[in-house]
Amino acid sequence: MRKILAALLLALFASTAAQAKWYEASSEHFVIYADDSEEDILRFAENLERYHSAMSLVTGRAIETPSPSNRVVIFVAGGKGDMRELTGSRWVGGFYVARAGASRAFVQTIRNKSGYPHFSTVILLHEYAHHFLISSARHSMPRWLGEGAAEFFAASSFDSEGGMQLGMPARHRANEISYAGIPPVEYLLDPKAFVESDREASGSFYGASWALFHMLIFDDARKGQLTSYWRLLNEGTDSLEAGKQAFGDLEQLDKDLKKYLKQKRMSLFRIGPDQLTTRPVTLRELPKGEAKMMDVRIVSQHGVTREEALDLVEEARKIAAKYPDDAGVQVALAEAEFDAGFNEAAIAAADRAIALDPSRPNAYVQKGYAQFSIAEEAEDKDAAYATAMETFSALNRLENDHPVPLIHYYRSFVERGAEPSETARHALERASQLAPFDKALAMNAAMMQAGEGKIALALVGLSPVANNPHGGELADTARLYVAQLEKAEEGTPWQPEEGEAKATGNEAKDPVAEGAAKKPTGS
């Protein structure tokens, strides 16, 4: 088993640890932590905001500005070797974990190259495209459409003048398409046709999905067909039938797609700087103690086992002992203590952080997590959960749309065996609205609604979970519940049929951007 010792931490960041200056770049939708030059970090943050604006412009969709803690936090973890140490895999170029109030992306060293982006940047753009599309749509996409759209947007480049190109040919899929070929479109449209063990067919799924999406966007002969397909899906038509109605003869579509890929030139969106709307990026150099704690923080927020956490907290304590007056250090220590199961120590560190700087949301989160953990075993559960909710109420006052206090308000009823109040039920629904990308949270909100007899709402909430191709057991359970709910009567409280699987709340890994959520999701 891979152990996280001081030696590993040194190996993970050996190339930059000695004189590293860490910076935090804060923007409307992102927070970036990197030990790079101020110029490169600012440019990287500005490019990501331009990307968000371009996606909004092209799709015609807008998403509610996230609360500060619900932004995507990006850790620049180093080169290939550093990523390998962090993940335990030689194949991972970067990854993203979607969690309510704690969405995290881990990427390699910043490469602000002109023209086609570095593959680690492509991974980040691909995953943020998923994040954006899920956050801006009520209905879930079939797998080919979700992946095709993410690949379409990820193939983007940024101009030095402030503009960008979006929807470029996906060069990172060229070999895949060349060697594996394009499977029949029917295979893409019909989820039942996808068989993981069929390497010949599945090998070019991402490339083929990109190609079909790109053609439907730019081919004049097929203008409007993608919109028709999406409308049919929203009306309840299954993907294959919707494709036949919207695209016409699928064999002809196969021929047209192969012909489309043989073109020497392809269309793309060229977007000028005057078309993009972004707000300024704020850059902060981290104090010395907080900078020294960054490698611990990265490993902790990546997710650790209990054994790894016990090693990691020792390193965190050594750093914290040298910087007792650094609020950022104390917050990171609180998280490491909680991960290791030392709840009282986590609360003490969080209290020190709050005393030093009461504006640190994660200090309240870690304190609240630890208090909830203590409340599970408390004799007077009502009093214990009330104490824990005082912490989350303080966080709610600090950041009204932080989803974690809303989730835990609902949990404070359920976990002590009490009937959730109407306000608690609304809180869980609101949290799911604020973080639609958190599949475990969506599952729990949908199950609550189903229990109230809100069958239609529950089906809407479960659909993205059930259609998640990388959702594992959670997706399997959601599909089972969807099948049962489709037979249920609106207005009649529903519970899973006895003997059937229960929701697990575990998020599975995405093969494009592998990573596992080991932190509490609030679900």
Side-chain angles (χ1 to χ4, degrees):
M1 180 179 292
R2 182 170 57 96
K3 295 186 180 290
I4 299 183
L5 302 168
L8 182 146
L9 290 167
L10 291 172
L12 188 57
F13 298 99
S15 60
T16 56
Q19 298 93 16
K21 280 189 176 182
W22 279 89
Y23 294 91
E24 174 195 81
S26 178
S27 64
E28 189 172 13
H29 301 95
F30 306 92
V31 181
I32 301 166
Y33 291 97
D35 57 346
D36 210 317
S37 71
E38 295 181 55
E39 181 182 357
D40 282 347
I41 297 168
L42 276 173
R43 183 179 170 192
F44 188 57
E46 289 165 354
N47 283 348
L48 289 177
E49 286 293 346
R50 287 155 65 190
Y51 180 63
H52 173 94
S53 179
M55 286 191 67
S56 182
L57 177 69
V58 169
T59 62
R61 298 179 180 182
I63 62 175
E64 185 177 346
T65 299
S67 67
S69 297
N70 217 26
R71 293 175 292 178
V72 174
V73 176
I74 301 166
F75 293 102
V76 179
K80 289 182 180 180
D82 302 320
M83 191 63 66
R84 187 180 303 122
E85 292 287 351
L86 182 64
T87 64
S89 171
R90 60 179 296 191
W91 306 111
V92 179
F95 62 96
Y96 163 76
V97 181
R99 295 184 294 242
S103 290
R104 302 290 183 258
F106 300 82
V107 301
Q108 294 180 30
T109 304
I110 292 173
R111 295 177 176 86
N112 291 317
K113 56 178 299 206
S114 58
Y116 203 80
H118 186 271
F119 185 61
S120 62
T121 303
V122 170
I123 292 172
L124 178 60
L125 299 184
H126 175 107
E127 292 305 316
Y128 187 72
H130 280 309
H131 183 94
F132 178 94
L133 294 168
I134 291 170
S135 299
S136 62
R138 180 179 173 84
H139 299 279
S140 65
M141 293 181 174
R143 187 189 180 204
W144 84 266
L145 185 56
E147 298 299 348
E151 290 292 287
F152 177 88
F153 289 112
S156 298
S157 67
F158 304 91
D159 295 338
S160 58
E161 295 80 12
M164 63 179 301
Q165 290 78 45
L166 191 150
M168 301 165 64
R171 296 181 194 171
H172 61 287
R173 296 297 177 188
N175 288 339
E176 173 186 311
I177 293 173
S178 176
Y179 289 110
I182 295 292
V185 169
E186 183 172 344
Y187 166 84
L188 301 179
L189 298 177
D190 184 2
K192 296 178 182 178
F194 181 75
V195 180
E196 289 287 352
S197 60
D198 187 349
R199 294 186 178 181
E200 184 177 355
S202 65
S204 60
F205 183 88
Y206 285 87
S209 297
W210 163 80
L212 180 58
F213 188 90
H214 199 279
M215 184 178 76
L216 292 171
I217 291 292
F218 287 121
D219 190 345
D220 289 336
R222 294 188 175 274
K223 288 290 185 184
Q225 290 187 355
L226 189 58
T227 301
S228 298
Y229 173 74
W230 182 241
R231 175 179 52 78
L232 288 165
L233 291 175
N234 291 342
E235 292 172 354
T237 309
D238 71 70
S239 176
L240 182 58
E241 180 57 31
K244 290 177 180 178
Q245 291 185 35
F247 308 142
D249 181 68
L250 296 186
E251 289 187 7
Q252 184 60 48
L253 183 59
D254 284 329
K255 295 176 183 177
D256 290 348
L257 183 58
K258 290 176 181 178
K259 182 179 179 182
Y260 185 80
L261 289 172
K262 292 180 180 178
Q263 298 180 109
K264 292 184 178 180
R265 299 176 64 87
M266 285 188 174
S267 299
L268 51 80
F269 290 113
R270 297 185 184 276
I271 304 172
D274 58 320
Q275 297 175 275
L276 300 174
T277 304
T278 60
R279 293 182 180 178
V281 176
T282 301
L283 193 67
R284 174 176 76 97
E285 182 179 346
L286 301 188
K288 189 174 181 180
E290 193 172 353
K292 285 184 176 296
M293 190 66 97
M294 277 306 301
D295 46 3
V296 170
R297 186 177 174 191
I298 289 172
V299 174
S300 181
Q301 297 213 359
H302 161 261
V304 290
T305 64
R306 176 66 192 283
E307 183 181 6
E308 292 168 342
L310 289 172
D311 291 327
L312 188 63
V313 73
E314 293 298 329
E315 184 69 18
R317 288 169 179 170
K318 290 176 185 177
I319 298 171
K322 296 178 182 178
Y323 301 95
D325 298 325
D326 188 317
V329 168
Q330 295 302 317
V331 173
L333 175 62
E335 185 165 5
E337 295 281 9
F338 173 72
D339 287 345
F342 301 120
N343 293 316
E344 296 294 351
I347 292 169
D351 281 338
R352 290 194 295 272
I354 292 169
L356 290 164
D357 183 357
S359 68
R360 300 262 182 169
N362 198 33
Y364 300 89
V365 170
Q366 300 306 322
K367 181 178 179 179
Y369 281 167
Q371 289 174 321
F372 258 69
S373 181
I374 291 171
E376 290 176 8
E377 306 298 329
E379 290 186 12
D380 187 347
K381 290 188 178 295
D382 288 348
Y385 280 106
T387 298
M389 280 312 303
E390 289 176 4
T391 299
F392 283 121
S393 295
L395 176 55
N396 180 256
R397 291 191 294 272
L398 178 67
E399 190 175 326
N400 186 248
D401 280 338
H402 196 309
V404 171
L406 302 175
I407 294 165
H408 281 71
Y409 182 52
Y410 178 82
R411 283 183 56 181
S412 71
F413 287 85
V414 174
E415 293 188 13
R416 56 189 168 91
E419 181 68 23
S421 67
E422 188 68 19
T423 303
R425 293 175 184 275
H426 287 318
L428 188 66
E429 289 180 332
R430 177 57 178 160
S432 189
Q433 291 169 359
L434 291 168
F437 42 82
D438 189 321
K439 301 294 194 302
L441 175 58
M443 167 73 91
N444 287 327
M447 294 301 288
M448 178 193 72
Q449 292 167 335
E452 296 176 304
K454 300 175 181 177
I455 308 302
L457 281 176
L459 283 168
V460 169
L462 281 176
S463 178
V465 185
N467 289 337
N468 180 10
H470 313 300
E473 188 178 351
L474 188 67
D476 292 340
T477 304
R479 284 190 285 272
L480 176 68
Y481 291 165
V482 165
Q484 294 179 16
L485 281 165
E486 286 174 342
K487 303 172 187 175
E489 183 178 350
E490 184 70 30
T492 301
W494 173 90
Q495 293 295 328
E497 293 177 10
E498 206 168 314
E500 298 288 10
K502 304 294 183 187
T504 65
N506 294 325
E507 186 89 13
K509 291 189 265 189
D510 185 320
V512 174
E514 187 179 0
K518 298 180 183 176
K519 293 286 182 181
T521 62
S523 55

